[in-house]
Amino acid sequence: MTNDEMRATWTSAGVGWVEHQRIFDSVFAPVTAALLDAADLGPRQRVLDVGCGSGTLLAAGADRGASMVGIDISPTMVEAARHRVPEATVVLADAQTAGLLDAAPGAAFDRVVSRFGVMFFADPVVAFTRIWSAATPDARLAFACWRTRAENPMFSLGTDVLVARMAPRPEQPPYAPGPTAFAEPDRLHAVLEGAGWTSVTMTPVDFTCDYGVDGSDGVEERMATMLATTTGQAARAELEPVLGPAGWAALLDEARREVAAAKVDGVVRFPGAIWLVTAEAGD
């Protein structure tokens, strides 16, 4: 089973993620720090970053002396990661279908990491089995994925103002590929164990999404990143031609007011809720 829909989605969405990389990295800095600690990256390790995006974990792992390999389905993201971390190997491919050690020849991987990059597989058991097959017997898997939408204003603050004006979208089937595909812990346990991973642990981590970058109040940072998401891009494509420039601007002002109402001590801040997942490759 291929992942053509996700390839098309992230080819488009990757543009916004790359453009606003600095904001995303700042907002998700607590997740990155927790993930790096869980992965225990170090010198002489060969590390695979699944869904490497614009290269945040690649850069952090390289700074720790690891030999970093990234894989991503988005050409835009891959180009950005190659530019950001030239010492890393970055592969444009789908980790669900690619022969990982063929795409990035070398030793099997000592560590596999991902920050919000593993929830989009059409068949996650197949994908995690393929990843497992490219790992050493004592390899560690460590990744971060979102918990429920209800726990994460990331998916609603400001965005709901836009979605309310859009045509109704089809109901997604349970566990459809997407940001919260692994919100249910029992399902994620079953996926990883079905793919050969053992000693699976899922630790709930709560953090603060802080949009105050370089002393700003975070309103425009939240607006920029919100519009860079797939939902934001879809809203613009659907609504701006209908509403016209003035109507679209008015709708954005409505969303901006909702975002501004989330300021805490003068800065846009709200809770984030993830699973920090670890597993071992061996029996």
Side-chain angles (χ1 to χ4, degrees):
M1 182 182 296
T2 61
N3 219 9
D4 292 336
E5 184 177 349
M6 283 299 156
R7 180 178 291 104
T9 294
W10 284 105
T11 296
S12 174
V15 175
W17 278 78
V18 170
E19 181 181 357
H20 301 297
Q21 166 188 296
R22 192 168 66 92
I23 302 173
F24 283 116
D25 278 356
S26 179
V27 172
F28 296 145
V31 177
T32 302
L35 180 55
L36 291 171
D37 286 345
D40 189 26
L41 303 189
R44 294 179 297 279
Q45 293 173 348
R46 192 167 197 241
V47 181
L48 176 66
D49 180 4
V50 179
C52 66
S54 60
T56 304
L57 295 184
L58 295 177
D63 286 345
R64 295 186 177 202
S67 176
M68 301 300 297
V69 175
I71 184 168
D72 204 285
I73 206 169
S74 165
T76 310
M77 297 283 215
V78 165
E79 182 180 356
R82 287 172 176 167
H83 178 76
R84 182 178 182 180
V85 196
E87 65 268 40
T89 298
V90 187
V91 177
L92 175 62
D94 182 352
Q96 178 178 299
T97 58
L100 297 172
L101 295 179
D102 293 328
F109 295 103
D110 304 293
R111 296 286 188 274
V112 179
V113 297
S114 181
R115 190 192 70 177
F116 303 134
V118 295
M119 304 91 71
F120 304 97
F121 294 123
D123 190 330
V125 174
V126 167
F128 278 106
T129 299
R130 188 172 290 275
I131 293 165
W132 174 86
S133 69
T136 64
D138 59 350
R140 176 182 301 174
L141 169 70
F143 65 85
C145 62
W146 295 105
R147 292 186 349 236
T148 64
R149 288 181 178 270
E151 295 173 281
N152 282 291
M154 175 66 65
F155 302 112
S156 58
L157 182 65
T159 307
D160 280 355
V161 172
L162 307 183
V163 171
R165 298 290 295 273
M166 298 172 69
R169 291 181 286 182
E171 187 77 18
Q172 291 294 308
Y175 310 136
T180 56
F182 291 150
E184 168 52 54
D186 289 344
R187 192 246 178 164
L188 182 49
H189 267 279
V191 166
L192 292 176
E193 290 172 355
W197 296 93
T198 64
S199 303
V200 177
T201 65
M202 297 181 61
T203 304
V205 174
D206 299 312
F207 70 104
T208 298
C209 298
D210 187 338
Y211 282 81
V213 179
D214 295 335
S216 76
D217 69 0
V219 173
E220 294 309 315
E221 285 79 3
R222 171 61 184 176
M223 290 294 296
T225 54
M226 179 188 77
L227 291 171
T229 64
T230 54
T231 301
Q233 289 183 3
R236 182 187 289 275
E238 178 181 332
L239 297 175
E240 190 171 21
V242 175
L243 299 175
W248 174 247
L251 183 61
L252 292 185
D253 282 341
E254 183 182 343
R256 189 174 281 109
R257 287 192 293 272
E258 180 176 284
V259 169
K263 288 194 283 190
V264 177
D265 296 329
V267 178
V268 176
R269 298 187 179 103
F270 53 79
I274 65 164
W275 292 116
L276 183 59
V277 183
T278 62
E280 306 296 331
D283 295 332

